[in-house]
Amino acid sequence: MMLRSISFVALRPRTFARYCSSGGKITAPPMVYISGEEMTRYAMELIIEKWVKPRVDISAWEFYDLSCKNRDDTNDQVLHDAVEAGKRIGAIFKEPTITPTEVQRKSMGLKKAWGSPNGAMRRGWNGITISRDTIHIPGVQLGYKRPVLFERHAVGGEYGAGWKPVGRGKLVTQFFPAEGGMEATLTRTDFTVVDERDLNDQENVAVVYHNPLDNVADLAHHFFSRCYEAGVVPYVVTKKTVFKWQEGFWTVMKQVFDEHYKEKFTRAGLLDGSGELQHLISDAATMQIIRWTDGGFGMAAHNYDGDMLTDEVAQVHRSPGFITSNLIGKREDGTLIKEFEASHGTVADLWAAHLRGEETSFNPLGMITAIIGAINHAASLQGGNTMGAMSRSELVKAKKKAVEDEDYDEAKRLKEELVKLDAQASACKVTQFTAMLEKAVHTCFRVGEGTRDMVGPNGLTTEEFIDKVEVRLSRYLRGEEDPVEPDAVIVPERRDDPHYAVDSSAVKNMFDQYDLNGDGTIDAEEFEAMLVKLGVAPLLNVKAREQAAGEREAGQV
Amino acid sequence: MMLRSISFVALRPRTFARYCSSGGKITAPPMVYISGEEMTRYAMELIIEKWVKPRVDISAWEFYDLSCKNRDDTNDQVLHDAVEAGKRIGAIFKEPTITPTEVQRKSMGLKKAWGSPNGAMRRGWNGITISRDTIHIPGVQLGYKRPVLFERHAVGGEYGAGWKPVGRGKLVTQFFPAEGGMEATLTRTDFTVVDERDLNDQENVAVVYHNPLDNVADLAHHFFSRCYEAGVVPYVVTKKTVFKWQEGFWTVMKQVFDEHYKEKFTRAGLLDGSGELQHLISDAATMQIIRWTDGGFGMAAHNYDGDMLTDEVAQVHRSPGFITSNLIGKREDGTLIKEFEASHGTVADLWAAHLRGEETSFNPLGMITAIIGAINHAASLQGGNTMGAMSRSELVKAKKKAVEDEDYDEAKRLKEELVKLDAQASACKVTQFTAMLEKAVHTCFRVGEGTRDMVGPNGLTTEEFIDKVEVRLSRYLRGEEDPVEPDAVIVPERRDDPHYAVDSSAVKNMFDQYDLNGDGTIDAEEFEAMLVKLGVAPLLNVKAREQAAGEREAGQV
């Protein structure tokens, strides 16, 4: 689910204040919290201490420490436990972790260079898709104007490839159907030859992978319902014109779309004028991501293409700090398992500065967006959406009466109803809390109380920012609004980001190049010429271009 | 070889005019000419008739008609013949061809939907790399300012994959070394298991491919010598941080570089300040291609990455019409086989207009660049570079004397020397011809006598352009120079390209968005903010970003 589905309009601070006026904390529903390392862990510890714990009872959260040290101490049992808990509970927040290199293994004194936990999580949670969307702050202009939603198929492709360097010889791939047993022996004859090829070079590397397709329909539903909710145009991206085996992905996506969504999208005018779900060839998509800076589109792609393309989306939308990374899986009972994380790493350079005693200014937006998503998903798993016909007091009365009547079956049923109702109320309260928290964070950025990557050298330190948000959050929780709402759209200077050092002399050269009449400014005409030259001008006839690309492709296989 | 290596400065028109003053034609060395279809075939027929035939004896060219009709009539024997001829002669020019769809097969009345000829050509010529470089016209600003060179490994990867849709079961891939024979039978036990995996979905597609590595050293030499000659910084692009089997490609590239090129590149200052050959992760490369609009870089990549990335290069450099597409292969004797073609297709829409009797304005630059490349390569295969110590008349005299002395071994040797010398002289003459032709074409574009995609609605028709170039070519061949050399750099409007219809209202929105102070112009400061926002600002610390990307990658596998 998109964060933007939590509308500020729906917030009633006064009501919320009343909820909590007794001084009691609200109860957070069960969630798995996976902690990581370095700067991101430090910041999250502060955030939990200052923002969450004073107001929310998080005793139902299960904590798993996925630091290298703890994985080493537990021989990675902690990873298995975290995966099991995630499967059981269904809502997971994860801080960035370190996958140690050999050098780090030695310096940390680890027994083993523990691999990335992602594989175990994707397998354990039956990963369907990694949703990577642009994060937007109302009133602050980042990259795309409107949301960009991305589904990257979480399984299959080269990420799970088997491979071996081999010499000259023959490579044979056989498939043994499960009906004959899952043992493949040389004596079985019920196989199909998938591929047989002569390798004539002295040095080769052989690569085998598979794309499982059973969960593509789930991906399709997740993708199209998100696109519809966000009001964006969906595209399916593959290289199927050349890689014919990718046709299956498209076929399933289109089937689901035509059967369940086409009518809705058509009515909403979300089909790019064509009236049909559109396919984009992967190489054409690399350019559209740069051209369509207005946003308002979604893309669903295979694993590797999704990796390449979401990296581009992240760059256009400022940096990976402003992109979500949510793994969507599915439990056997059909419940969606959702793991939320930031798209960035542990920010080792800021951590080193912090350890040296220097001031830091870390922007935790990606992690905050992630934990809010996880808490909200945990809440949505609580009790579902059905509200009973009776109020709480009516239920209590009815239960009392059932006990008096010695109708214990009914009393038991009513007791369960009450538990469910309380869970719903708690879930409702906790999502109101996260909405206020999100508003507090966003407003800080909007009014210039942000970190230095957003507001420049006068920005707040890591700790100051967390404190400022806390002040604002308290204000909202007391039912107070911001005194004055700022109107102007803030455009953060990307050059304030220490990781984004613009080469000013190169920029000057570019400017002179596009200032065709040399008058020191670029007018509207020069601007269009420039966009055209940079190859990022928005185009009218996307379809014609796509078709042309397809023809060229087909001729060049 | 790059076309730009033929320097205009080296031209001596008067000398050339003297060569041809006898009225005799110059002799083109043997070359394979593969003709194709539709608009591109029509234009090339005019070009050969008007520019080439009156001045060059092309009787040594071998022509192969790769139209669908002729492939059908000959049961594709013509493709086999063309491949054989290409291998024998080593220099090939190819017009765009059509790979018929099922619909086209029926409408053309073909027996079969003949597949793309590219596979047969890559195999037959032991394809190493597809070189795709930006085409530059002196004095005309297209996309990149300086050359961008690209090597796409011509073999391996998913383009040659075997695949099959399979259900639940086991997938086993075995390698049988050639020592045990090239027959893989179930009774052999001398195999290695490359991969063995359970497929648990009901629907899967299994994919197998291999990357042959023996020719990567050849690719490396071709790439680095081209980069050095063009003065551009080389990069190797892979996804090896995640796809570990791609390490081999990098290892070979780096070995060749360190052993043969590092010192030269270091001395020339072509190593990006690092002193080492640089590796770029493929997803980072997608952004650099857009950022580095100054050009001056080269990239070498695997097959699929090369496909994705060169498409981006083509877009930034205006369109595929301004990008070369040259297949470099190798004969058993070590001779490089080079096939030159345009990056675009048969331009069906203009052909339809032509057939309707309408005026067309087709820009043949890509094909002209290709045929000039092919002729020059054919010339370079003639006689090599060694010039004998004796002049022609001395050789004739010496041969005469040898015959008188009845020293027939020496006479035979001198006869061969003479043949070689004549071939060299002819090769020299033909490359002078192509240089003048290139200059005539380029100058036409520069002085506004171009096609409509380049100079707007007042541009020339297909036929007028060919005539204008012919006039200029004749002038150069007579030893005359252009009266006045235009100084100004021409910036062709991309919106004149009918395939590039800019969405003006979207552009207007963008302009307003970047005109932060709303004064109707974008000043230098707003310009930098815009570049930064678009994510295309040139950056200082490429290395730091690459490193950060690598870390993130490693954590996200």
Side-chain angles (χ1 to χ4, degrees):
Chain A
M1 286 302 112
M2 287 199 59
L3 286 172
R4 64 193 290 287
S5 66
I6 303 154
S7 163
F8 288 138
V9 179
L11 270 183
R12 286 156 305 176
R14 266 161 247 280
T15 317
F16 185 83
R18 207 162 53 231
Y19 261 122
C20 300
S21 59
S22 66
K25 288 184 190 180
I26 51 174
T27 306
M31 181 183 95
V32 174
Y33 188 113
I34 297 176
S35 53
E37 220 124 0
E38 298 192 328
M39 195 64 193
T40 44
R41 179 170 188 153
Y42 166 72
M44 279 312 297
E45 276 170 3
L46 283 181
I47 283 170
I48 297 294
E49 283 305 319
K50 298 201 166 184
W51 298 353
V52 181
K53 277 193 180 168
R55 300 164 184 103
V56 184
D57 173 1
I58 57 170
S59 56
W61 288 7
E62 295 186 16
F63 288 84
Y64 296 87
D65 174 4
L66 226 59
S67 66
C68 293
K69 175 90 178 55
N70 197 45
R71 290 180 70 186
D72 205 55
D73 288 349
T74 64
N75 285 316
D76 226 11
Q77 184 59 40
V78 62
L79 175 57
H80 297 285
D81 294 346
V83 168
E84 182 278 322
K87 192 171 175 176
R88 179 166 35 84
I89 293 175
I92 305 107
F93 166 73
K94 178 179 168 293
E95 294 175 5
T97 49
I98 291 174
T99 301
T101 59
E102 191 49 33
V103 175
Q104 286 172 311
R105 185 193 70 76
K106 281 185 189 149
S107 75
M108 293 194 234
L110 305 175
K111 287 177 282 199
K112 197 177 146 183
W114 302 97
S116 162
N118 294 25
M121 296 193 297
R122 286 188 207 175
R123 278 190 304 276
W125 301 332
N126 297 314
I128 299 164
T129 173
I130 302 163
S131 301
R132 296 193 68 188
D133 306 339
T134 51
I135 298 173
H136 296 263
I137 302 171
V140 178
Q141 186 182 299
L142 291 166
Y144 297 98
K145 269 195 201 164
R146 297 184 52 225
V148 174
L149 310 191
F150 211 107
E151 304 297 346
R152 170 183 166 190
H153 197 193
V155 290
E158 290 168 299
Y159 296 81
W163 59 281
K164 209 159 237 175
V166 289
R168 215 166 76 76
K170 207 169 191 84
L171 189 72
V172 181
T173 305
Q174 297 166 323
F175 172 71
F176 299 83
E179 295 81 58
M182 285 303 268
E183 259 327 285
T185 74
L186 292 180
T187 55
R188 273 178 72 174
T189 53
D190 61 332
F191 59 82
T192 321
V193 174
V194 170
D195 181 72
E196 189 171 322
R197 60 180 59 214
D198 293 342
L199 311 186
N200 295 313
D201 275 30
Q202 295 302 321
E203 266 191 77
N204 307 277
V205 59
V207 182
V208 190
Y209 67 79
H210 75 287
N211 286 334
L213 296 173
D214 287 4
N215 68 11
V216 175
D218 287 332
L219 184 151
H221 283 292
H222 187 68
F223 177 57
F224 295 126
S225 51
R226 275 157 33 81
C227 284
Y228 183 74
E229 199 183 328
V232 305
V233 182
Y235 295 86
V236 177
V237 180
T238 80
K239 181 77 177 177
K240 73 187 178 75
T241 45
V242 183
F243 302 162
K244 303 288 182 192
W245 63 90
Q246 298 188 344
E247 190 71 39
F249 184 82
W250 161 252
T251 305
V252 176
M253 294 295 290
K254 178 136 173 67
Q255 267 168 4
V256 170
F257 184 81
D258 287 349
E259 190 171 334
H260 301 279
Y261 299 92
K262 192 173 174 178
E263 214 189 300
K264 284 166 77 170
F265 275 77
T266 307
R267 257 186 284 118
L270 288 176
L271 284 181
D272 203 8
S274 65
E276 296 289 339
L277 176 64
Q278 293 295 299
H279 177 265
L280 273 181
I281 299 172
S282 51
D283 25 349
T286 62
M287 286 311 290
Q288 301 301 30
I289 284 172
I290 298 159
R291 271 206 202 92
W292 293 344
T293 49
D294 269 0
F297 63 91
M299 289 184 179
H302 282 95
N303 212 339
Y304 180 47
D305 287 345
D307 188 356
M308 295 270 275
L309 297 172
T310 54
D311 200 82
E312 251 194 295
V313 170
Q315 293 296 336
V316 175
H317 200 60
R318 197 176 168 98
S319 85
F322 301 92
I323 297 284
T324 66
S325 183
N326 304 332
L327 174 64
I328 314 299
K330 198 175 185 179
R331 206 158 59 192
E332 285 76 4
D333 65 3
T335 306
L336 287 189
I337 300 170
K338 299 190 184 179
E339 181 245 10
F340 299 77
E341 53 182 292
S343 278
H344 54 70
T346 56
V347 202
D349 54 346
L350 287 194
W351 182 238
H354 178 78
L355 291 180
R356 286 193 303 269
E358 296 166 18
E359 247 181 37
T360 60
S361 180
F362 168 65
N363 182 348
L365 182 65
M367 284 199 299
I368 299 166
T369 306
I371 196 166
I372 289 176
I375 295 173
N376 288 349
H377 179 60
S380 80
L381 293 176
Q382 277 283 345
N385 293 315
T386 52
M387 276 300 216
M390 285 191 275
S391 70
R392 196 174 200 289
S393 59
E394 284 168 337
L395 273 177
V396 171
K397 252 188 236 164
K399 195 185 78 173
K400 199 173 162 194
K401 184 166 181 303
V403 172
E404 284 165 7
D405 297 350
E406 296 191 354
D407 182 353
Y408 297 119
D409 279 347
E410 176 66 2
K412 194 179 161 196
R413 194 190 65 78
L414 289 164
K415 187 186 153 202
E416 280 161 12
E417 282 282 301
L418 267 168
V419 168
K420 216 162 130 187
L421 193 73
D422 286 347
Q424 281 174 354
S426 157
C428 184
K429 274 187 273 184
V430 86
T431 57
Q432 289 184 317
F433 169 79
T434 53
M436 282 187 202
L437 175 56
E438 184 177 65
K439 187 182 171 190
V441 170
H442 286 181
T443 308
C444 274
F445 282 117
R446 192 173 44 179
V447 301
E449 293 174 355
T451 42
R452 289 175 195 159
D453 59 322
M454 297 285 274
V455 303
N458 296 325
L460 305 177
T461 63
T462 306
E463 298 79 9
E464 285 167 352
F465 176 74
I466 291 171
D467 288 342
K468 279 282 184 196
V469 170
E470 200 277 331
V471 169
R472 204 169 283 274
L473 174 63
S474 291
R475 185 188 303 157
Y476 297 157
L477 290 172
R478 284 195 306 271
E480 296 167 23
E481 282 292 346
D482 290 306
V484 182
E485 287 284 318
D487 276 346
V489 170
I490 306 289
V491 184
E493 307 259 344
R494 206 163 189 165
R495 54 192 140 178
D496 289 329
D497 187 336
H499 291 281
Y500 200 95
V502 172
D503 183 342
S504 292
S505 80
V507 169
K508 175 76 176 70
N509 284 343
M510 279 177 86
F511 183 81
D512 293 344
Q513 181 182 339
Y514 298 121
D515 176 14
L516 298 176
N517 59 11
D519 67 351
T521 63
I522 290 175
D523 62 23
E525 203 172 322
E526 289 166 338
F527 180 77
E528 179 168 329
M530 181 194 71
L531 288 187
V532 165
K533 199 186 144 294
L534 281 173
V536 298
L539 296 187
L540 281 176
N541 52 347
V542 172
K543 231 190 147 180
R545 287 176 54 80
E546 167 78 354
Q547 207 174 353
E551 278 166 22
R552 197 166 50 74
E553 275 306 326
Q556 288 200 343
V557 180
Chain B
M1 285 301 112
M2 287 200 59
L3 286 173
R4 65 192 290 286
S5 67
I6 302 154
S7 163
F8 290 136
V9 180
L11 269 184
R12 285 156 306 175
R14 266 161 248 280
T15 316
F16 184 82
R18 206 162 53 232
Y19 261 123
C20 299
S21 59
S22 65
K25 288 184 190 177
I26 51 173
T27 307
M31 181 184 95
V32 173
Y33 188 113
I34 297 176
S35 52
E37 219 124 1
E38 299 194 328
M39 196 63 194
T40 43
R41 180 170 186 153
Y42 166 72
M44 279 311 298
E45 276 170 5
L46 282 181
I47 284 169
I48 296 296
E49 282 306 319
K50 297 201 167 185
W51 299 353
V52 181
K53 276 193 180 167
R55 301 164 182 101
V56 184
D57 173 1
I58 56 171
S59 57
W61 288 6
E62 295 186 16
F63 288 84
Y64 296 88
D65 174 5
L66 224 59
S67 65
C68 292
K69 175 89 178 56
N70 197 44
R71 289 181 71 187
D72 205 56
D73 288 349
T74 64
N75 285 315
D76 227 10
Q77 184 60 39
V78 62
L79 174 58
H80 297 285
D81 293 347
V83 169
E84 182 279 321
K87 192 170 174 176
R88 179 166 35 83
I89 293 175
I92 304 106
F93 165 73
K94 177 179 169 295
E95 294 175 4
T97 49
I98 292 175
T99 301
T101 59
E102 191 49 33
V103 175
Q104 286 172 313
R105 184 193 70 75
K106 281 185 188 150
S107 75
M108 293 193 237
L110 305 177
K111 286 176 282 198
K112 198 179 146 183
W114 302 97
S116 162
N118 293 26
M121 297 194 296
R122 286 187 207 175
R123 279 190 303 277
W125 301 332
N126 297 314
I128 299 164
T129 173
I130 300 163
S131 300
R132 297 193 67 189
D133 307 339
T134 51
I135 297 174
H136 296 262
I137 302 171
V140 178
Q141 186 183 298
L142 292 166
Y144 297 99
K145 269 195 202 164
R146 296 185 52 226
V148 174
L149 310 190
F150 212 107
E151 303 298 346
R152 169 183 167 191
H153 197 194
V155 289
E158 290 168 299
Y159 296 82
W163 59 281
K164 209 159 238 175
V166 289
R168 215 166 77 76
K170 207 169 190 84
L171 189 73
V172 181
T173 304
Q174 296 166 323
F175 172 72
F176 299 83
E179 295 82 58
M182 286 302 268
E183 261 325 288
T185 74
L186 293 180
T187 54
R188 273 177 72 174
T189 54
D190 61 332
F191 59 81
T192 321
V193 173
V194 170
D195 181 72
E196 189 171 323
R197 61 180 58 214
D198 293 343
L199 311 187
N200 295 314
D201 276 31
Q202 294 302 322
E203 267 191 74
N204 306 277
V205 57
V207 182
V208 190
Y209 68 78
H210 75 287
N211 286 335
L213 296 173
D214 288 4
N215 68 11
V216 175
D218 286 333
L219 184 152
H221 282 293
H222 187 67
F223 177 57
F224 295 126
S225 52
R226 273 157 34 82
C227 285
Y228 183 74
E229 198 182 329
V232 304
V233 181
Y235 295 86
V236 177
V237 180
T238 80
K239 182 77 177 176
K240 73 187 179 74
T241 45
V242 183
F243 303 161
K244 302 290 182 193
W245 63 89
Q246 297 188 344
E247 191 71 39
F249 184 82
W250 162 251
T251 305
V252 176
M253 295 296 290
K254 178 138 172 66
Q255 268 168 5
V256 170
F257 184 81
D258 287 350
E259 190 171 335
H260 300 279
Y261 298 92
K262 193 174 175 179
E263 215 189 299
K264 284 166 79 171
F265 275 77
T266 306
R267 258 187 282 117
L270 289 176
L271 285 181
D272 202 9
S274 65
E276 296 290 340
L277 176 64
Q278 292 296 298
H279 177 264
L280 273 181
I281 299 173
S282 51
D283 25 351
T286 63
M287 286 311 290
Q288 301 301 30
I289 283 172
I290 297 159
R291 272 207 201 90
W292 293 343
T293 48
D294 269 0
F297 62 91
M299 289 185 180
H302 283 94
N303 212 339
Y304 180 47
D305 287 344
D307 187 357
M308 295 269 274
L309 298 172
T310 55
D311 200 82
E312 252 195 293
V313 170
Q315 292 296 335
V316 176
H317 200 60
R318 198 175 166 97
S319 86
F322 301 91
I323 298 285
T324 67
S325 183
N326 305 331
L327 174 64
I328 313 300
K330 199 176 184 178
R331 206 158 58 193
E332 284 76 6
D333 65 2
T335 306
L336 287 188
I337 300 170
K338 298 189 185 179
E339 181 245 11
F340 298 78
E341 54 181 291
S343 278
H344 54 71
T346 55
V347 203
D349 54 347
L350 288 194
W351 182 237
H354 178 78
L355 290 181
R356 287 194 303 268
E358 295 167 18
E359 246 182 36
T360 60
S361 180
F362 168 63
N363 182 346
L365 182 66
M367 284 200 298
I368 299 166
T369 307
I371 197 167
I372 288 176
I375 295 173
N376 289 349
H377 180 59
S380 82
L381 293 175
Q382 277 282 346
N385 293 315
T386 51
M387 278 301 218
M390 285 191 276
S391 71
R392 195 174 199 291
S393 60
E394 283 168 340
L395 274 175
V396 171
K397 250 188 237 164
K399 194 184 83 174
K400 200 175 163 192
K401 185 167 182 301
V403 173
E404 284 166 7
D405 295 351
E406 297 189 356
D407 183 353
Y408 297 119
D409 280 347
E410 176 67 1
K412 193 178 162 195
R413 195 190 65 78
L414 289 165
K415 187 187 153 200
E416 280 161 10
E417 281 282 303
L418 267 167
V419 169
K420 218 161 130 187
L421 193 72
D422 287 345
Q424 281 174 353
S426 156
C428 183
K429 272 186 274 184
V430 86
T431 57
Q432 287 184 317
F433 170 79
T434 54
M436 281 187 203
L437 175 56
E438 184 177 65
K439 188 183 170 190
V441 171
H442 285 181
T443 307
C444 275
F445 282 116
R446 193 173 43 178
V447 300
E449 294 173 352
T451 42
R452 289 172 195 161
D453 60 322
M454 297 286 273
V455 304
N458 296 325
L460 305 178
T461 64
T462 306
E463 298 79 8
E464 285 169 351
F465 176 73
I466 291 172
D467 288 343
K468 279 282 184 195
V469 170
E470 200 277 331
V471 168
R472 205 169 282 274
L473 175 63
S474 290
R475 186 189 304 158
Y476 296 157
L477 289 171
R478 284 194 305 272
E480 297 168 23
E481 283 292 346
D482 290 306
V484 182
E485 288 283 319
D487 277 347
V489 170
I490 306 289
V491 184
E493 307 260 345
R494 207 164 190 163
R495 55 192 139 176
D496 291 329
D497 187 337
H499 291 280
Y500 199 95
V502 173
D503 182 342
S504 292
S505 81
V507 169
K508 175 76 176 71
N509 284 343
M510 279 178 86
F511 182 81
D512 293 344
Q513 179 182 341
Y514 297 121
D515 176 16
L516 298 176
N517 59 11
D519 66 353
T521 61
I522 291 174
D523 62 21
E525 203 171 322
E526 289 166 336
F527 180 77
E528 179 167 329
M530 181 194 70
L531 289 186
V532 164
K533 199 186 144 294
L534 281 173
V536 297
L539 297 186
L540 280 174
N541 52 347
V542 173
K543 232 192 146 178
R545 288 177 53 81
E546 166 78 355
Q547 208 172 354
E551 277 165 21
R552 197 167 49 76
E553 274 307 326
Q556 288 200 343
V557 181

